[in-house]
């Protein structure tokens, strides 16, 4: 093996090692978020199971967006938002989780046709998801289709 081949191999090893460390850090961060907010576990597992395994750094961004969305919705519900109040009356304690799933699925479906760079998955999801949540709670469910 020549010296340049050895250096190239070492650089690949370093890159793989760095990616592995970043993946582990993302898994730890996701675990902490879900530990703090257990309601998100089933939402995350339903929305992005493959992303969790294949792109943990992007999954971490999505999980953070879902966590912010959960807190946003609970705050709006506490403020008396009529759309969320109706959802809680219809679905009980699972209303926020169902709302997150519904809006999240719509964003993921939209992304299937429009996302072209997997490295932008988290950012693209976050932006669309946050906007969809805001639209969904300011209009009736049927009218907005959020």
């Amino acid at each position: 093996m020549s010296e340049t081949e050895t250096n190239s191999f070492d650089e690949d090893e370093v890159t793989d090692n760095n990616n592995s460390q970043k993946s582990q850090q993302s898994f730890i961060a996701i675990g902490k978020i879900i530990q703090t907010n257990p309601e998100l576990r089933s939402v995350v597992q339903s929305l992005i199971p493959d992303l969790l395994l294949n792109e943990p750094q992007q999954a971490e961004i999505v999980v953070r967006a879902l966590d912010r969305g959960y807190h946003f919705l609970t705050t709006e519900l506490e403020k008396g938002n009529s759309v969320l109040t109706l959802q809680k009356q219809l679905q009980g304690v699972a209303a926020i989780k169902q709302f997150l799933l519904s809006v999240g699925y719509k964003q993921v479906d939209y992304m299937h046709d429009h996302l072209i760079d997997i490295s932008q998955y988290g950012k693209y999801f976050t932006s669309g998801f946050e906007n969809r949540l805001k639209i969904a709670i300011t209009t009736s469910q049927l009218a907005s289709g959020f």
Side-chain angles (χ1 to χ4, degrees):
M1 203 180 245
S2 73
E3 189 175 315
T4 56
E5 290 176 17
T6 303
N7 286 343
S8 175
F9 181 72
D10 290 342
E11 288 172 12
D12 290 344
E13 255 185 28
V14 168
T15 300
D16 288 346
N17 193 20
N18 285 342
N19 287 339
S20 178
Q21 287 177 344
K22 288 178 183 177
S23 293
Q24 287 176 348
Q25 290 170 345
S26 291
F27 283 128
I28 291 168
I30 291 168
K32 286 180 181 178
I33 293 167
I34 290 174
Q35 184 177 18
T36 304
N37 189 352
E39 293 288 319
L40 291 180
R41 180 180 305 281
S42 62
V43 174
V44 169
Q45 290 173 338
S46 296
L47 278 179
I48 56 165
D50 293 331
L51 192 69
L52 281 169
L53 296 174
N54 301 324
E55 298 287 337
Q57 293 157 326
Q58 294 302 311
E60 178 186 353
I61 296 168
V62 171
V63 171
R64 289 185 188 283
L66 291 168
D67 187 48
R68 284 192 307 273
Y70 182 87
H71 292 293
F72 171 72
L73 292 175
T74 54
T75 300
E76 289 297 315
L77 180 60
E78 289 169 3
K79 290 179 182 177
N81 179 280
S82 61
V83 174
L84 294 172
T85 300
L86 176 60
Q87 288 302 310
K88 187 166 184 179
Q89 290 170 351
L90 295 172
Q91 298 174 335
V93 294
I96 298 285
K97 186 167 73 172
Q98 289 303 113
F99 211 86
L100 285 174
L101 276 170
S102 180
V103 174
Y105 277 129
K106 284 181 175 32
Q107 181 60 24
V108 168
D109 287 344
Y110 178 82
M111 290 169 56
H112 280 269
D113 294 331
H114 296 90
L115 182 69
I116 57 173
D117 181 4
I118 191 69
S119 70
Q120 296 298 309
Y121 192 102
K123 182 178 177 182
Y124 202 85
F125 178 88
T126 299
S127 176
F129 180 72
E130 289 173 352
N131 286 326
R132 285 176 189 272
L133 280 180
K134 290 174 186 170
I135 292 167
I137 66 162
T138 57
T139 58
S140 78
Q141 233 186 29
L142 298 174
S144 69
F146 50 89

